[in-house]
Amino acid sequence: MDQKRDETELFLPRFDAAGLVTAIVIDADHGRLLMVAHMNAEAIEHTRTTGRAHFWSRSRGQLWRKGETSGNELVVEDMLVDCDQDALLLRVRPAGPACHTGRRSCFYRRVESDGRLTFLGDHAQG
Amino acid sequence: MDQKRDETELFLPRFDAAGLVTAIVIDADHGRLLMVAHMNAEAIEHTRTTGRAHFWSRSRGQLWRKGETSGNELVVEDMLVDCDQDALLLRVRPAGPACHTGRRSCFYRRVESDGRLTFLGDHAQG
């Protein structure tokens, strides 16, 4: 563990080999996990300057403002960083469903012991 | 987006090039984000069979049972998967602090607009 990163007062994101950190997005009101994505330095910068969540799309290989096509943007209340600075927590106010399936959260299925998934209600996580 | 993965009832984790998925760990009681780690197929299997959270340590390059040295294991209540199946949510009952710094959560610093970090109290996230 990098002692410098876990006790410093400086924001020093530790990007992986692809230049990314993990971004965890939760609803600022009730703390529910909405989605997980990735951010590069540019996505972090755009998020901080605009107050709207930006990510790096690994599949499309481009910067992406959440909601740029769906309108379901995420207004960022604040951002926390973890001990080794390779993960960010964004507390947001979502303008609509965070998941592309139309659900509030991307986490809508439980993994059962037999390897099946059970679909949960849209508020089942909390 | 892989339609098969987001609407299927089958658990088909989508591992990245390093064979990993992101694992988000929250406290089952109040939903607070505790830590973020990575799991390979072996870590998922060990977690499911033992009911204790196992991860893959990227820095040490080995399977790791959370708490194996500290005693601060994570008893897994259940596990959810996200739409494209490249992230898992573990809802756990922690035996002690989840963070190696002795804090309950690894997310104890807020990123300020000037690039400084503010240390928060140990319950400030919720």
Side-chain angles (χ1 to χ4, degrees):
Chain A
M1 180 58 58
D2 187 339
Q3 289 298 326
K4 283 185 186 161
R5 279 204 166 78
D6 61 11
E7 295 299 339
T8 184
E9 291 179 4
L10 290 175
F11 182 43
L12 301 166
R14 193 173 68 172
F15 298 104
D16 68 11
L20 302 174
V21 293
T22 304
I24 314 299
V25 181
I26 69 172
D27 190 303
D29 281 333
H30 43 62
R32 189 173 296 129
L33 177 62
L34 298 177
M35 58 180 285
V36 177
H38 294 86
M39 297 172 91
N40 61 2
E42 190 182 6
I44 293 172
E45 181 61 21
H46 277 68
T47 298
R48 293 175 71 192
T49 54
T50 66
R52 303 295 186 276
H54 290 67
F55 304 107
W56 178 259
S57 169
R58 294 187 297 177
S59 56
R60 288 178 287 148
Q62 64 182 45
L63 188 73
W64 160 59
R65 182 173 63 79
K66 170 69 180 166
E68 65 189 2
T69 54
S70 68
N72 297 326
E73 64 177 11
L74 303 171
V75 178
V76 178
E77 292 288 308
D78 60 8
M79 191 163 81
L80 277 64
V81 64
D82 78 341
C83 49
D84 55 359
Q85 301 210 30
D86 64 356
L88 296 172
L89 168 59
L90 276 64
R91 297 196 283 198
V92 307
R93 296 190 191 280
C99 185
H100 77 285
T101 65
R103 296 174 176 92
R104 284 168 194 254
S105 167
C106 296
F107 293 83
Y108 50 85
R109 290 172 295 184
R110 186 174 58 221
V111 182
E112 307 293 354
S113 55
D114 63 358
R116 308 293 293 194
L117 302 178
T118 300
F119 283 72
L120 305 172
D122 210 13
H123 292 276
Q125 190 195 120
Chain B
M1 179 59 58
D2 187 338
Q3 290 297 325
K4 282 185 186 161
R5 279 202 165 79
D6 61 11
E7 294 298 340
T8 184
E9 293 181 1
L10 289 176
F11 182 43
L12 300 167
R14 193 172 68 172
F15 298 105
D16 68 10
L20 302 174
V21 292
T22 304
I24 315 301
V25 182
I26 68 172
D27 190 301
D29 281 333
H30 42 62
R32 189 174 296 129
L33 177 62
L34 298 177
M35 58 179 286
V36 176
H38 295 85
M39 297 172 91
N40 61 1
E42 190 182 6
I44 294 172
E45 180 63 22
H46 276 68
T47 299
R48 295 175 70 193
T49 54
T50 66
R52 302 296 187 275
H54 289 67
F55 304 108
W56 178 258
S57 169
R58 294 187 297 179
S59 56
R60 287 179 286 147
Q62 64 182 45
L63 188 73
W64 161 57
R65 180 173 64 78
K66 170 71 179 163
E68 63 189 3
T69 53
S70 67
N72 297 327
E73 65 176 11
L74 303 171
V75 179
V76 179
E77 290 289 306
D78 60 8
M79 191 162 82
L80 276 65
V81 64
D82 78 341
C83 49
D84 56 359
Q85 301 209 31
D86 63 358
L88 297 172
L89 168 58
L90 277 61
R91 295 197 284 198
V92 307
R93 296 191 190 280
C99 185
H100 78 284
T101 65
R103 295 174 177 91
R104 285 167 194 256
S105 167
C106 296
F107 293 84
Y108 51 85
R109 289 171 297 184
R110 187 175 57 222
V111 182
E112 308 294 354
S113 56
D114 63 358
R116 308 291 295 193
L117 302 178
T118 299
F119 282 71
L120 306 172
D122 209 12
H123 292 276
Q125 191 194 118

